[in-house]
Amino acid sequence: MKRTSGIQSHARHVRPRARTRNSALFVGLVLIAVTSASVASASDGPGPLGVTAVIAENAQSARIGALFGVDRADDLPGNHFCTASVVHSPNRNLVLTAAHCLTDDTDLVFAPGYRDGKAPYGVWQVKKRFLPEGWSRDQDEDSDLAFAVIAPKDGRDIEDVVGSNRFVSGVATGATAVTVTGYPDSREVPITCTNKPHSHSRTQQRIDCPEFTSGTSGSPWVNGDRQVVGVLGGHEQGGSTADTSYSVVFGAEAAALYKDAAADP
């Protein structure tokens, strides 16, 4: 069951997940218990694991944003449906998300650092999409990742404005803890959680983090070296419960897809 919102026409491909009604209360309680909104390091250093909270506004959160239909570019509040993040590429114009977020042919925009209805770094047009053959052919859950090339804005590329994390493949599942950050469709701020992933199968990994509901598909899994080693999606297009999320294990197919997308001018 996918973690995309039911707002956009994208949801016609798979039944959208029901929203969690108590997410605002839960996050409020977490914020009382945790003095910093940035709850944990993405390494095995000090910090609570498996706790979800609103992420602080900082350089790292600016690289993560929400996806919208282009018809919502001037009406952002409440209309995001997936999460994406900027990854480094030679052309400095690439974002990573889940393949099921880009299956529809609707024109899209990306708002990095989106918060409370505002796009502090602007709204950027998605120019081109790269989906794995396994997904394009039969929506194989082991191919549920995708890249999008972002058009320049005001003569600048998106990576020049917000920076990026590095996309890497071949990292062993659970080698370190990772931080997952995304946008539930019931909230207008991004949430984040750090924990250690575990193997679900040879091709899938899972992480236990509460409150990652509809809208968080495409959330990056970032380790302590600022490497993206997972993206929320994969098994059941993200998971059937709000407390356990999944990602494709980035292997040869993911590496080849990145190579193709990164070479696009």
Side-chain angles (χ1 to χ4, degrees):
M1 191 179 298
K2 71 179 178 179
R3 301 289 179 88
T4 55
S5 165
I7 295 170
Q8 301 294 329
S9 61
H10 305 73
R12 71 171 180 260
H13 296 287
V14 178
R15 179 166 57 96
R17 176 179 184 159
R19 293 183 177 182
T20 301
R21 299 293 183 183
N22 64 350
S23 60
L25 174 60
F26 176 87
V27 172
L29 292 172
V30 169
L31 290 175
I32 293 172
V34 181
T35 57
S36 170
S38 180
V39 296
S41 167
S43 66
D44 290 327
L49 298 178
V51 176
T52 298
V54 175
I55 191 171
E57 296 181 66
N58 53 38
Q60 182 61 23
S61 64
R63 301 168 184 177
I64 302 163
L67 289 171
F68 302 79
V70 71
D71 59 330
R72 301 297 186 179
D74 296 321
D75 183 26
L76 299 179
N79 288 312
H80 52 90
F81 70 91
C82 262
T83 303
S85 66
V86 183
V87 293
H88 175 67
S89 66
N91 295 312
R92 308 181 69 79
N93 61 358
L94 208 59
V95 300
L96 169 69
T97 188
H100 70 259
C101 292
L102 300 185
T103 300
D104 199 294
D105 59 2
T106 304
D107 290 335
L108 303 177
V109 294
F110 173 63
Y114 175 77
R115 191 177 296 255
D116 293 325
K118 297 181 174 63
Y121 304 99
V123 176
W124 300 70
Q125 183 83 36
V126 171
K127 184 173 72 170
K128 190 173 182 180
R129 310 167 198 219
F130 287 82
L131 284 77
E133 181 181 350
W135 183 267
S136 299
R137 184 179 59 247
D138 55 15
Q139 297 192 355
D140 184 352
E141 67 176 19
D142 291 335
S143 300
D144 194 7
L145 79 156
F147 295 96
V149 175
I150 303 299
K153 183 179 178 67
D154 300 326
R156 303 179 73 189
D157 290 312
I158 193 165
E159 192 174 338
D160 297 323
V161 176
V162 299
S164 64
N165 296 311
R166 289 184 297 141
F167 176 85
V168 296
S169 58
V171 175
T173 297
T176 66
V178 300
T179 296
V180 184
T181 304
Y183 287 85
D185 64 4
S186 59
R187 297 187 61 83
E188 292 296 291
V189 291
I191 59 171
T192 193
C193 172
T194 298
N195 212 339
K196 221 172 189 182
H198 298 280
S199 178
H200 175 70
S201 69
R202 182 180 61 82
T203 54
Q204 298 281 332
Q205 53 188 324
R206 63 176 176 83
I207 193 168
D208 295 324
C209 278
E211 296 303 301
F212 277 77
T213 56
S214 175
T216 58
S217 287
S219 300
W221 298 21
V222 184
N223 68 17
D225 294 324
R226 302 306 180 200
Q227 297 172 331
V228 183
V229 297
V231 62
L232 200 154
H235 180 59
E236 296 177 323
Q237 297 194 12
S240 59
T241 72
D243 296 339
T244 300
S245 299
Y246 296 86
S247 168
V248 174
V249 174
F250 291 165
E253 183 181 48
L257 187 69
Y258 170 77
K259 183 178 179 180
D260 288 345
D264 192 82

